[in-house]
Amino acid sequence: MKRVAILGAGYGGVEAAKQLSKMFKKPSEVEITLYDRNPFHTLMTELHEVAGGRCQPESVQVTLEKIFGGTKVGVVIDTIKDISFATNTLKGEEATYQYDYLVLGPGAEPEYFGIKGAKEHSLALWSFNDALRLRRHIEDQFLKASREPNTLRRRKILTLTVAGAGFTGIEMLGELLEWKKPLCHRYGIDENDVSVVLVEAMTEILPLLPKKLRTDSLRFLARKGAVMYLNTPITEVRADGITVKSGATIDTETLIWTCGVRGPEFASKLDFTGGKDSGKPAATEEETNLKYNIVKKARLRSNEFMQSVEFDNVYLVGDVLWFSERSRVLPQVVETALQTAGYAAHNIHAEIHGKTKKAFRSNYHGYMVSIGSKFAVAHVLGMELTGFVAMAMKHLVNLHYLWGVVGVNGCWEYLQHHFFTVKDGRSQLGNQLAAKSPSYWMLPVRLALGLMWLGESVAKVLEGWLDASRGTSSSWMFSPGVVQPGVDPDTVGAATEAAKAVKVHDFLGFMAQPILPHDFFLVQWMQGFMDSVVSQVPFMLLQVPVVAVEGLMGLALLGGTFTWLAAVASLALSLNFVVSGTLTWNSAWMLFASVSLMGGAGRVLGLDAWIMPWLQRWWSRTQLAKKTYWYLGDARKRK
Ligand code: NAD
């Protein structure tokens, strides 16, 4: 059995592991193991949302157990310190691990270009911890400022500076511009005391985007109050400010460094010699680039099969890889990570099965940049999009990614984090989906519906439904004027007649009409079905279960026990009455109440408060839940 090790649970590592697990169908063929220091995969493209206080930290974490629990991929949490390519060994802090094939995806680190004080005195945004640190720092600055009586000192504390106008810098800038208002409100600070500043070395922002999108972004940022210094390279960073090339200084205690990335230090220390500085001067521009990036930026060179140029059994994926496709080096973006991982997985499979390897061909779709929660620019498939549509596109792309990684559960959590649980209206739809009302407001509805079904069951018994001598009768079962949920049997026929008499204007009469009239085709079909099929069903199998189900539903709702199930049954039965032409408008509330009760209404003064968490934990541990990603509740509490 071949051992495939994957180092790094970033976009590349996770994709490679998923693809390999799909390609090797037989469990005995390979052993696939993913190594990472964290037990979760970080959604790096959303880090600014956590750092900028828009989303909660867990919104960018997807636990590896959740992703791989139902697959043959083993997950090992350890920090790998070194790799011996001679003995095919990963050396971790906890143990050493053997491999036959290695997929190397250790990601990237911020680049400081040797600028004095930059590393020591700035805050980066390139990991989960960075985002948390930055978020806390900004909140601390507002707290500190709220206690500072001196206006000048307060303004310095509240000068938030972003260095670099690439994607990371602009996305962070957008969050700060949006977050400052709620922060000022919370800490009692005048918004005019806050400055959100951008410092960029080049004359343009977002250089990878077309001119129109750059201009739209610039205009939007200016409108939101950003102070932008372009063509202003930073030359020195101190704890209390920065100096730029002209010699001017900016007082700031918050410098967010997003001036580019390089391969990780870990990669620069690896025992790679291929592609490293041979001592000979570079002859071509490409060679110069190569030397610069391999040696100084710690990126490792691969061939077109994503194999390291030095070790055939080592595949490179994502930011660490240096591969020049048609004289263009692959950019360090998510699409590169996903696509190189796909090729690496395919080629490892091909090699083990003695098949032909596939040479890399990129297929980029474009870039999307959010500037706050409501505005974005996107250059996708040749289209230039701005504003609401671009933002919607970004959400769709994120959902698509999550669907592939953790299925429906991941998508639901994404919607929760980005729409249902946001604060201060910081979602594309503002507060529209975020308002919460506590479950105890649903208690009266639950009790009303419960009483209704219990009463209905009792009424059926009193009406003689359990009288076996009456036999099974489909028309008797659903015909109006006999027993209908919520409708007095004696008044229906009369009310229907009255409604006819006073025509449509008579609101009360209208309310007593069935939702679907008797001549409606569905009602006709249902009546036919009841007459021909259901009436053949023995008494015990029809009337008794119906009475029992109604009674149980009533009791379940009253006791808040399996409320979700009872609400679904209530909806199904009510719909059945609609289709049978017997549910009247004045009982239509049952349909809506049933839907409303599905959101955890049994957890207030009900047994569901205990039953549901237990059931969710039990279910989420099953193989079926893991394989289908239908986890319920908070998966982190599944152990
Ligand atoms: P970047 O390299 O894209 O941009 C860095 C910016 O910093 C440049 O504009 C550069 O001119 C500026 N800069 C460099 N040195 C400076 C100095 N001394 N003073 C002032 N400005 C200076 O870096 P990034 O935005 O961190 O992105 C890193 C990688 O991640 C990129 O490949 C990027 O495409 C990718 N990324 C993509 C997305 C997305 O697709 N939405 C989001 C974030 C990052």
Side-chain angles (χ1 to χ4, degrees):
M1 186 196 272
K2 298 284 183 201
R3 289 159 301 187
V4 184
I6 299 156
L7 175 49
Y11 289 96
V14 165
E15 176 72 9
K18 286 206 74 148
Q19 298 260 355
L20 283 165
S21 142
K22 271 189 215 149
M23 285 170 191
F24 289 99
K25 299 253 181 314
K26 286 189 227 138
S28 57
E29 267 186 305
V30 286
E31 184 184 274
I32 307 164
T33 314
L34 176 64
Y35 298 88
D36 199 287
R37 65 167 75 89
N38 290 316
F40 53 85
H41 164 56
T42 304
L43 301 172
M44 297 280 287
T45 56
E46 320 304 314
L47 280 182
H48 57 280
E49 296 173 3
V50 172
R54 167 151 54 118
C55 292
Q56 294 308 310
E58 57 267 28
S59 69
V60 293
Q61 293 174 302
V62 189
T63 57
L64 296 177
E65 195 210 332
K66 216 171 174 185
I67 304 175
F68 296 110
T71 70
K72 59 169 94 56
V73 177
V75 175
V76 172
I77 308 304
D78 196 355
T79 302
I80 304 299
K81 292 288 189 192
D82 198 7
I83 303 172
S84 165
F85 296 105
T87 58
N88 289 349
T89 313
L90 301 177
K91 295 176 185 166
E93 272 177 359
E94 295 301 316
T96 55
Y97 312 95
Q98 292 290 314
Y99 66 83
D100 297 301
Y101 292 92
L102 174 64
V103 179
L104 198 52
E109 279 175 9
E111 169 68 287
Y112 295 98
F113 305 103
I115 293 171
K116 196 173 160 201
K119 188 169 183 181
E120 297 75 22
H121 301 301
S122 70
L123 293 142
L125 184 55
W126 204 253
S127 69
F128 179 70
N129 284 355
D130 287 346
L132 286 191
R133 202 175 301 126
L134 189 44
R135 179 188 177 109
R136 271 189 225 121
H137 171 87
I138 292 166
E139 292 214 42
D140 286 350
Q141 289 300 101
F142 275 79
L143 180 64
K144 193 168 148 189
S146 70
R147 293 168 174 158
E148 177 55 68
N150 180 292
T151 307
L152 281 180
R153 278 203 296 268
R154 195 167 57 244
R155 288 191 172 166
K156 184 174 162 185
I157 295 169
L158 292 173
T159 301
L160 311 175
T161 311
V162 175
F167 291 143
T168 315
I170 294 300
E171 290 194 316
M172 190 62 219
L173 195 71
E175 299 300 328
L176 292 176
L177 289 166
E178 197 176 78
W179 198 18
K180 74 175 179 179
K181 192 183 175 107
L183 281 175
C184 284
H185 184 71
R186 194 179 316 157
Y187 291 97
I189 289 170
D190 180 351
E191 260 194 73
N192 293 320
D193 287 348
V194 184
S195 311
V196 179
V197 180
L198 174 73
V199 186
E200 162 58 47
M202 298 204 287
T203 51
E204 291 278 4
I205 68 165
L206 301 170
L208 290 180
L209 293 184
K211 176 101 181 120
K212 180 188 174 299
L213 297 185
R214 294 202 301 263
T215 313
D216 287 352
S217 308
L218 206 59
R219 219 177 274 145
F220 180 82
L221 289 168
R223 205 169 65 233
K224 292 286 165 189
V227 180
M228 292 179 276
Y229 299 105
L230 302 184
N231 200 10
T232 309
I234 296 170
T235 51
E236 190 189 338
V237 183
R238 297 174 302 283
D240 61 353
I242 59 171
T243 305
V244 298
K245 199 174 171 192
S246 65
T249 58
I250 297 173
D251 288 343
T252 181
E253 294 179 7
T254 306
L255 181 69
I256 304 168
W257 189 263
T258 67
C259 289
V261 291
R262 46 170 276 138
E265 207 186 328
F266 165 78
S268 67
K269 290 184 181 153
L270 290 178
D271 192 18
F272 274 91
T273 54
K276 274 200 178 174
D277 197 355
S278 61
K280 278 188 271 164
T284 62
E285 194 185 337
E286 189 161 342
E287 259 184 60
T288 314
N289 262 334
L290 190 63
K291 269 180 80 167
Y292 178 75
N293 283 285
I294 301 293
V295 180
K296 297 237 172 68
K297 292 204 163 192
R299 288 178 74 179
L300 307 174
R301 209 171 130 209
S302 85
N303 63 17
E304 70 273 35
F305 304 119
M306 282 23 306
Q307 283 167 300
S308 115
V309 290
E310 182 140 10
F311 305 106
D312 278 358
N313 63 340
V314 177
Y315 287 76
L316 302 168
V317 297
D319 286 351
V320 78
L321 154 144
W322 173 270
F323 175 65
S324 179
E325 185 193 32
R326 296 187 292 271
S327 298
R328 185 172 169 259
V329 179
L330 301 187
Q332 289 164 295
V333 293
V334 173
E335 284 206 291
T336 300
L338 298 178
Q339 291 174 24
T340 52
Y343 277 85
H346 176 275
N347 290 337
I348 289 174
H349 183 263
E351 187 149 319
I352 291 175
H353 283 263
K355 293 189 181 149
T356 320
K357 292 206 268 296
K358 252 189 343 197
F360 182 80
R361 280 195 76 103
S362 63
N363 176 24
Y364 291 107
H365 297 89
Y367 299 104
M368 279 159 294
V369 185
S370 63
I371 309 181
S373 61
K374 297 182 180 66
F375 183 85
V377 286
H379 187 215
V380 187
L381 301 170
M383 291 182 293
E384 295 179 17
L385 306 171
T386 303
F388 192 89
V389 188
M391 194 72 204
M393 177 77 103
K394 190 163 190 224
H395 284 309
L396 285 178
V397 169
N398 288 340
L399 283 168
H400 176 258
Y401 175 72
L402 284 167
W403 179 264
V405 175
V406 265
V408 66
N409 191 265
C411 295
W412 175 244
E413 284 191 359
Y414 182 87
L415 295 176
Q416 291 273 342
H417 292 307
H418 287 84
F419 294 97
F420 299 129
T421 59
V422 290
K423 290 204 177 112
D424 308 314
R426 295 181 68 189
S427 93
Q428 193 173 9
L429 301 177
N431 269 332
Q432 285 302 328
L433 296 175
K436 297 268 171 301
S437 59
S439 290
Y440 48 75
W441 286 113
M442 289 310 293
L443 190 61
V445 182
R446 196 185 90 206
L447 297 180
L449 195 65
L451 277 174
M452 204 285 305
W453 282 119
L454 193 61
E456 177 60 23
S457 171
V458 172
K460 280 194 168 75
V461 175
L462 297 178
E463 277 289 313
W465 269 53
L466 298 187
D467 181 357
S469 61
R470 292 177 71 165
T472 307
S473 160
S474 58
S475 58
W476 174 68
M477 190 175 158
F478 288 118
S479 67
V482 185
V483 177
Q484 290 176 44
V487 180
D488 183 339
D490 294 328
T491 59
V492 173
T496 313
E497 286 312 306
K500 274 183 198 149
V502 292
K503 303 221 169 75
V504 191
H505 311 96
D506 187 336
F507 181 66
L508 286 176
F510 170 74
M511 291 298 280
Q513 297 279 352
I515 294 172
L516 291 184
H518 294 290
D519 51 3
F520 191 73
F521 78 98
L522 257 181
V523 179
Q524 298 271 323
W525 177 85
M526 187 69 173
Q527 197 57 53
F529 175 74
M530 299 303 291
D531 288 343
S532 58
V533 181
V534 180
S535 57
Q536 307 301 319
V537 178
F539 162 78
M540 282 303 286
L541 291 182
L542 190 72
Q543 271 116 289
V544 173
V546 169
V547 171
V549 164
E550 287 185 351
L552 282 174
M553 249 162 33
L555 290 173
L557 290 169
L558 288 173
T561 311
F562 297 107
T563 308
W564 185 84
L565 219 56
V568 171
S570 167
L571 181 66
L573 218 57
S574 308
L575 284 173
N576 190 18
F577 288 141
V578 172
V579 176
S580 310
T582 58
L583 195 78
T584 55
W585 283 109
N586 52 21
S587 296
W589 67 273
M590 289 163 51
L591 294 164
F592 305 107
S594 305
V595 174
S596 301
L597 293 180
M598 288 178 196
R603 294 191 185 208
V604 168
L605 297 184
L607 293 181
D608 279 351
W610 293 288
I611 298 174
M612 283 304 133
W614 179 84
L615 210 62
Q616 287 179 346
R617 276 199 298 276
W618 168 80
W619 163 253
S620 295
R621 276 197 298 259
T622 62
Q623 272 304 309
L624 188 61
K626 290 178 179 180
K627 274 198 191 319
T628 56
Y629 295 124
W630 271 102
Y631 295 111
L632 293 177
D634 187 347
R636 282 168 308 146
K637 293 189 198 137
R638 277 184 295 127
K639 286 231 164 104

